[in-house]
Amino acid sequence: MKHRSVKHALDPHGYTKFVGATVRGVPALPRWRVLFLLPILIALGPRTAQPAEPPANPTLLLNGNWQFALAHNDAEAERLANFYQPGYDAARFQRITVPSNWALQGFEPPHYGRFKDEASEGFYIHRFTVPDTWRDKRILLHFGGVWTSAEVWLNGKHLGRHDSGFTSFSFDVTKDLQPGAENVLAVRVRQVTHDYLFDTNDDWSLGGIYRDVSLETMPKFRWIDRVDAQTVFDSQFQDADLNIRAMIGDARPRKESEAPYSLLVSLRKDGAEIQNAKIAIPAHPGTDRDIALKLHVQHPLHWTAETPALYDLQVELLENGKPTHVRTLAVGFRQISTAGGIFRINGQAVKLRGVDRHDEYPDGGRATTPENWTQDLKLMKAANINFIRCSHYPPAAGFLDLCDRLGMYVDDEVPMGDGGNDANDPSFADAVMLRSYEAVSRDINHPSIVLWSIGNEDPLTSLHMAAIRTVKGLDPTRPVLMPWRAEQWLPPEIDILAPHYFTAAQYDELSGESARPVVTTEYTHAYGTDGFGGLQERWNALTRHPAGAGGAIWMWADQGLKVTLDQPGGGKKTSLELNPGGMDGTVSSYREPQRDYWETKAVYAQTYPAIGKTSFVPGQASVRIPIRNDFDFTNLDTVGIGWQLMADDRELDHGTARLECEPHATAWLPLRLSSIHDAHPGIAYYAWFTFTRADGSEITRRSVELLPAGGAVPVAITKAEPLSVRRGKVVVVKAGPASYTFDPQIAQLASASLNGVQVIDGASFTIWRPLGPSEVIIVGKDRAKQLPDLNRYRTAVESWKVSESADGVEIDARANHVIDAKNHFQVSYTYSIGRDGVLSIHYSVKPQVEAEWLPLVGVTLRTPPALTHLRWLGLGPLDAYPNEKAAAIFGVWSGDLGGPTATGVKATRWAELSGTSGVVLKIEGCPYIRAGEGSGLQALSAVVGRSAKTRRPENPEDRLDTTAGSSFDGGFRVSLARATPRTAPD
């Protein structure tokens, strides 16, 4: 694509002007002014001209093996204090890899959170040489990250001290480096300083030089100090201006004469030049100069997380027409707005499907690698995640490069850590301002960064406002938020409200009335294996409103470290050590997807059927299924849609489809039904849909149940079997080949068999299971230890009555199940056995227990070992709870007991247990079953909803409260049958 050239000139005051009317909305300069500027104007060359070869300004990476000594306390540190001096005897120093955290190198156990006492310090020495040709270079020493404080010497010369653990910093070592000879770099790393709480979070505190250390060379007397680029679209978001600011450094004495120089700017896409400009700059010895340039680009590709189009910007410094220094950066054309209370990118409202991420990995701690970054981003994108909140500090710069290239929205956080709560102390002013400047100045050019965060769950103070104004002064193009602050009275500099852990109703209310966008930087907690309830409800409540821009899940990965320590008596022990709070991640520390990952993927899916059920008339050709496109920029025609028409677990038909549908809209898919001639009794009809990206990877899977018009088809009544009842110590009821035995002493089913083959070995009422980690937090650890196991009880039967009729046998009973003096529950039972051999169980339970709520209610059926295979109609294959079921889809599923598919809570219509005995146990009518603990099944009328760490389920019906007078009713049906081969319906 060819573009017209844009010619530039610089007026005597240093402001860039355009020559010629090639830019929309910008008038041509008067002819007299053009003539006046000609002496300093260098016109653009031909469009086909190739730039000169970039100058050779080498860099040197100082990573590798360094010498290291660890001082465990202040006294040991004092003995090492002269380590930087020339000739220091470092024979006792050990080898350490840089970058790394020394706790991950086996020097001491890792520490979590704040230090209560004195902390260890690290002493580093590194010897290196640089070429003799570097004598005519300006040289910078760069540190990507040192936690938390680095005091640096080079060849015995004190360079300075940097107290900020998560931001990068540099020293000018031009005068102190010795080209052609050995150089000695010494770094003292402290963990505890006046400001260290600003680098301490609810996370590991890991000392060390954990990011790259390097030397950068450039021309000695004039160089490009930095380049910033911003993109601004026209009102139609078609053409754009690329606004460039180049700071040119100059180290010559003020009075020294100096020749003018030039800047050559070029913009490329995939190696092809799109636009360029060349500008002559008058000499300015003794001072740096900020140069403003503007390139007008017609129809640039838009950068978004869905379309991460990048351009290459190159800025060259030309001396006498020859390049002496060059800087390049990736440019993404994108523009952010919060006008009207709506978060927009390139004019389009965007929803942020996010997670909170720590920049750490078990093997290396915070010394993360490109492989770690790539693994995270690929897994995130596979789970439909498009947004990362960097918690609670800027990540490695290379990670942001990948976010630019692969497409990910990022909230970059100015690191204030635990120190933000103390920001009313003016002595922290330097800590706040240093971190604000360094975070923004390093990362400002990344198109992936769409937000700046200031601190985490902090009060608003004068220092916070100073940080906010600093950030907005450095970068007026991005909005700013304070995580956890969501008050309507917040000052206007805070562009976005960022509540934490609201209920769905609170998100609904806030986003429905807010004049600012709402981005909840933590809105649910992936804690343990039981703490992820309500994600779908909170996401829907927030994002149904224009102001509700989305949020981030706490958090991405479990905070675990691979620790290797010396053992007493010799040898080493390696283990994965988790943070003291347990598992927080949607994926494990090593990034294996966990149950919460799949729920995240399902809730964040951008395309799906907009309904879960629809009716049909057998014989009709097709039914229309609404398909929602919640992508922000992607047409649905890029998405592959595969479908399967199912009758129970038999496929009747399948096909693929493509739909044209703009973002934020709905299209209709005609689902072929010609294979369903009749609706067979007892058969479930449904369609499975699979949505795939252009690369073939899966976006999501969903199901739509197909209901025959007029309601469910009734199952044909089986023949009436002869009934008999035998009373005694036990009551035996036989209906044909089915036999049920009841124990009047405990008011329970004692056994069930078919033709003498045992299918049920006993039953017991259940209202308890061990509490999960999140539930323990809600109850309290001490309180949870005191609660008794409510399933360990003795039974006192208060009534027992057996009745016979022409239709069958009914047993009515009432029993009191006593745990101890403070805990018991009364259950009324009704057992009905019909002439069809089906056992119906109904119950009503009234708990009087110390526990404020029950985890489940139902009956445990013990079964023989021969029954090992579970098959069910309902949600699967993943477990499903009242408020955590988005990732489970409707269908017929199966798996072996004890295996991953059949383990856990399943939401069911019916379930069958079979095996080598040739008999099938079928349970119908209970909304949940639970398998996986011992042999058998639990038929459950209720299970408590998933908690969300420190918060119980929000819907009252999901809480199972044991308030005074509360009762729980339920029931299910049991039938026994011979196992027969299944055939597909017509």
Side-chain angles (χ1 to χ4, degrees):
M1 180 171 57
K2 293 290 185 179
H3 300 281
R4 288 180 295 171
S5 300
V6 179
K7 300 180 180 179
H8 297 272
L10 195 73
D11 70 11
H13 302 289
Y15 298 104
T16 302
K17 303 294 183 182
F18 285 96
V19 181
T22 62
V23 181
R24 182 182 304 164
V26 180
L29 291 175
R31 181 177 178 82
W32 66 268
R33 192 161 190 176
V34 174
L35 293 174
F36 176 80
L37 293 172
L38 278 177
I40 60 170
L41 175 65
I42 303 177
L44 285 169
R47 302 299 296 152
T48 56
Q50 296 296 317
E53 187 71 22
N57 288 294
T59 61
L60 178 65
L61 202 60
L62 298 181
N63 297 350
N65 286 321
W66 291 32
Q67 293 175 281
F68 178 76
L70 184 68
H72 292 89
N73 50 51
D74 292 345
E76 292 182 11
E78 184 61 29
R79 287 195 289 270
L80 292 168
N82 295 325
F83 79 115
Y84 62 87
Q85 292 183 351
Y88 180 84
D89 183 6
R92 295 186 179 181
F93 277 47
Q94 297 175 269
R95 290 290 176 183
I96 193 172
T97 299
V98 172
S100 71
N101 297 113
W102 62 65
L104 274 298
Q105 299 286 303
F107 286 94
E108 66 176 353
H111 183 85
Y112 196 90
R114 300 185 183 196
F115 291 95
K116 295 181 180 179
D117 302 307
E118 59 185 1
S120 61
E121 296 183 21
F123 294 78
Y124 292 80
I125 297 174
H126 185 55
R127 292 174 168 82
F128 63 94
T129 59
V130 298
D132 192 64
T133 55
W134 282 25
R135 293 185 185 277
D136 62 345
K137 301 288 186 181
R138 179 177 184 257
I139 305 167
L140 295 183
L141 171 63
H142 296 295
F143 289 86
V146 180
W147 202 92
T148 70
S149 167
E151 190 170 9
V152 184
W153 294 263
L154 180 61
N155 298 324
K157 172 69 178 301
H158 187 252
L159 299 181
R161 176 170 158 175
H162 180 264
D163 290 355
S164 177
F166 292 113
T167 55
S168 34
F169 57 99
S170 305
F171 298 100
D172 187 334
V173 295
T174 306
K175 297 179 180 178
D176 305 303
L177 198 70
Q178 299 173 1
E182 182 181 75
N183 293 271
V184 180
L185 178 62
V187 185
R188 179 175 181 175
V189 178
R190 296 174 173 88
Q191 296 191 88
V192 176
T193 67
H194 174 265
D195 302 336
Y196 96 99
L197 289 183
F198 283 76
D199 301 310
T200 306
N201 308 282
D202 183 11
D203 192 24
W204 298 102
S205 296
L206 299 172
I209 303 173
Y210 66 96
R211 290 179 182 162
D212 291 341
V213 183
S214 62
L215 291 168
E216 179 192 10
T217 67
M218 60 196 71
K220 193 167 188 176
F221 296 109
R222 187 152 52 204
W223 63 90
I224 305 172
D225 197 63
R226 62 175 296 115
V227 176
D228 295 335
Q230 299 172 353
T231 57
V232 180
F233 282 96
D234 61 22
S235 60
Q236 302 301 312
F237 289 92
Q238 293 182 355
D239 298 344
D241 289 333
L242 177 60
N243 295 322
I244 304 163
R245 300 292 291 268
M247 178 65 78
I248 308 302
D250 197 305
R252 290 179 174 83
R254 284 188 300 172
K255 295 182 179 180
E256 182 176 316
S257 61
E258 181 185 351
Y261 60 92
S262 301
L263 288 183
L264 176 62
V265 178
S266 60
L267 185 69
R268 293 181 175 85
K269 183 74 176 79
D270 299 327
E273 188 175 88
I274 302 299
Q275 187 66 279
N276 71 5
K278 189 176 180 182
I279 183 173
I281 312 296
H284 49 87
T287 184
D288 294 357
R289 185 164 184 172
D290 185 66
I291 311 299
L293 292 161
K294 182 180 293 186
L295 295 181
H296 185 69
V297 182
Q298 296 176 349
H299 302 292
L301 298 175
H302 291 205
W303 188 97
T304 73
E306 298 170 26
T307 59
L310 288 178
Y311 292 77
D312 298 312
L313 177 66
Q314 180 173 289
V315 179
E316 290 183 86
L317 176 65
L318 305 179
E319 304 275 10
N320 298 318
K322 296 181 179 180
T324 58
H325 196 205
V326 61
R327 291 199 184 274
T328 59
L329 57 93
V331 170
F333 283 83
R334 67 105 184 89
Q335 185 172 324
I336 305 164
S337 169
T338 59
I342 300 174
F343 183 78
R344 290 185 174 92
I345 293 177
N346 299 341
Q348 174 75 302
V350 167
K351 300 300 184 184
L352 302 174
R353 297 165 158 82
V355 290
D356 295 277
R357 177 186 180 270
H358 276 308
D359 195 19
E360 64 188 27
Y361 196 80
D363 294 348
R366 299 206 190 280
T368 54
T369 67
E371 292 76 19
N372 302 150
W373 311 330
T374 301
Q375 182 183 26
D376 273 359
L377 289 172
K378 287 185 175 180
L379 277 171
M380 288 177 183
K381 291 186 77 69
N384 303 310
I385 294 165
N386 68 358
F387 172 60
I388 297 170
R389 175 199 174 206
C390 299
S391 49
H392 300 288
Y393 43 83
F399 178 75
L400 294 176
D401 291 336
L402 271 179
C403 290
D404 296 340
R405 184 162 59 86
L406 298 180
M408 185 66 66
Y409 301 127
V410 176
D411 172 11
D412 204 354
E413 194 155 299
V414 172
M416 295 181 72
D418 292 337
N421 291 313
D422 299 322
N424 272 314
D425 183 345
S427 69
F428 289 122
D430 55 346
V432 171
M433 300 313 293
L434 175 68
R435 287 159 174 78
S436 301
Y437 166 75
E438 289 183 339
V440 176
S441 63
R442 189 199 74 171
D443 294 344
I444 189 172
N445 286 317
H446 288 283
S448 56
I449 296 174
V450 297
L451 297 170
W452 295 111
S453 286
I454 309 298
N456 174 56
E457 297 189 347
D458 295 348
L460 177 65
T461 69
S462 293
L463 284 181
H464 284 92
M465 286 306 301
I468 291 167
R469 289 172 177 140
T470 298
V471 169
K472 293 183 79 70
L474 291 168
D475 177 21
T477 70
R478 294 179 177 93
V480 169
L481 58 79
M482 282 189 67
W484 195 58
R485 298 255 67 99
E487 297 87 351
Q488 302 283 9
W489 49 258
L490 289 172
E493 290 92 340
I494 299 175
D495 306 284
I496 291 173
L497 304 183
H500 280 193
Y501 303 110
F502 275 22
T503 66
Q506 289 171 323
Y507 283 124
D508 193 10
E509 180 180 3
L510 177 63
S511 57
E513 66 183 16
S514 179
R516 286 179 263 201
V518 178
V519 176
T520 171
T521 38
E522 294 177 29
Y523 74 114
T524 198
H525 195 138
Y527 185 77
T529 57
D530 65 329
F532 207 55
L535 176 66
Q536 182 80 72
E537 290 81 1
R538 284 189 284 279
W539 173 259
N540 290 347
L542 174 68
T543 58
R544 68 167 55 102
H545 300 285
I553 295 165
W554 187 269
M555 63 175 309
W556 168 239
D558 293 342
Q559 295 162 268
L561 297 177
K562 182 181 178 182
V563 179
T564 302
L565 293 174
D566 293 329
Q567 296 297 296
K572 294 181 179 292
K573 181 180 179 181
T574 300
S575 62
L576 180 68
E577 184 172 340
L578 293 170
N579 74 75
M583 299 176 290
D584 294 86
T586 64
V587 297
S588 73
S589 300
Y590 279 105
R591 277 45 175 184
E592 296 99 349
Q594 303 180 128
R595 175 63 179 82
D596 297 347
Y597 175 88
W598 304 113
E599 190 75 3
T600 299
K601 178 177 180 177
V603 172
Y604 283 170
Q606 302 95 335
T607 182
Y608 49 88
I611 56 173
K613 299 179 180 180
T614 191
S615 60
F616 75 101
V617 176
Q620 75 182 76
S622 64
V623 64
R624 297 173 75 227
I625 306 296
I627 305 297
R628 182 67 186 167
N629 181 7
D630 281 346
F631 282 104
D632 299 316
F633 301 96
T634 302
N635 194 295
L636 200 59
D637 62 7
T638 66
V639 173
I641 305 175
W643 58 266
Q644 293 172 273
L645 185 63
M646 305 292 294
D648 279 355
D649 50 2
R650 310 286 184 171
E651 182 184 295
L652 303 180
D653 198 357
H654 67 273
T656 60
R658 292 271 179 177
L659 296 176
E660 168 73 26
C661 183
E662 293 296 323
H664 302 173
T666 300
W668 294 85
L669 184 149
L671 177 65
R672 189 168 61 233
L673 298 182
S674 55
S675 58
I676 306 179
H677 305 294
D678 297 296
H680 291 258
I683 300 295
Y685 297 92
Y686 54 95
W688 277 343
F689 293 91
T690 304
F691 299 85
T692 55
R693 303 177 185 89
D695 63 3
S697 61
E698 181 185 285
I699 299 171
T700 192
R701 293 187 182 190
R702 296 294 170 92
S703 61
V704 175
E705 188 175 4
L706 303 171
L707 303 174
V713 178
V715 179
I717 299 175
T718 59
K719 68 176 182 177
E721 300 283 0
L723 270 172
S724 66
V725 179
R726 178 166 56 86
R727 293 175 172 86
K729 288 187 177 181
V730 295
V731 175
V732 180
V733 181
K734 291 187 176 182
S739 178
Y740 300 97
T741 302
F742 299 89
D743 187 347
Q745 302 301 311
I746 57 174
Q748 296 293 331
L749 176 69
S751 66
S753 62
L754 184 73
N755 290 324
V757 178
Q758 195 90 339
V759 180
I760 296 176
D761 291 335
S764 58
F765 205 83
T766 180
I767 61 171
W768 196 249
R769 58 158 170 75
L771 300 181
S774 189
E775 294 168 331
V776 169
I777 287 180
I778 294 171
V779 173
K781 290 184 179 180
D782 293 338
R783 171 78 170 146
K785 292 178 182 178
Q786 296 170 359
L787 290 175
D789 182 348
L790 300 181
N791 285 339
R792 297 177 65 87
Y793 52 77
R794 65 184 185 277
T795 300
V797 177
E798 299 175 348
S799 65
W800 178 265
K801 180 182 178 183
V802 181
S803 304
E804 297 183 58
S805 68
D807 296 328
V809 177
E810 184 170 288
I811 300 174
D812 293 298
R814 186 170 65 249
N816 192 28
H817 303 290
V818 180
I819 298 97
D820 55 34
K822 296 181 180 180
N823 297 275
H824 67 94
F825 58 97
Q826 187 183 71
V827 185
S828 297
Y829 299 95
T830 299
Y831 302 101
S832 301
I833 302 95
R835 291 187 177 276
D836 57 359
V838 175
L839 166 64
S840 296
I841 301 176
H842 297 277
Y843 53 79
S844 178
V845 56
K846 296 180 179 180
Q848 297 182 42
V849 294
E850 293 178 281
E852 289 80 8
W853 47 270
L854 303 178
L856 47 79
V857 177
V859 176
T860 298
L861 300 174
R862 295 185 295 277
T863 57
L867 297 182
T868 60
H869 189 73
L870 180 66
R871 179 172 175 261
W872 75 96
L873 171 66
L875 298 181
L878 298 174
D879 53 3
Y881 289 80
N883 62 347
E884 187 185 11
K885 56 187 178 183
I889 65 175
F890 183 81
V892 174
W893 306 95
S894 64
D896 292 332
L897 291 184
T901 302
T903 300
V905 171
K906 309 298 180 184
T908 61
R909 303 276 181 85
W910 54 255
E912 295 176 344
L913 198 58
S914 62
T916 59
S917 66
V919 178
V920 176
L921 167 64
K922 188 171 185 178
I923 300 171
E924 299 175 89
C926 63
Y928 297 96
I929 62 169
R930 181 169 178 252
E933 294 187 5
S935 60
L937 290 177
Q938 290 181 330
L940 305 173
S941 58
V943 297
V944 73
R946 292 293 207 184
S947 56
K949 192 181 181 183
T950 73
R951 185 174 68 239
R952 297 188 56 209
E954 296 162 22
N955 297 326
E957 61 270 24
D958 300 337
R959 298 169 71 93
L960 307 191
D961 289 332
T962 58
T963 53
S966 62
S967 65
F968 302 93
D969 300 333
F972 56 96
R973 296 182 302 279
V974 174
S975 59
L976 314 176
R978 291 182 180 276
T980 57
R982 296 188 302 274
T983 57
D986 295 336

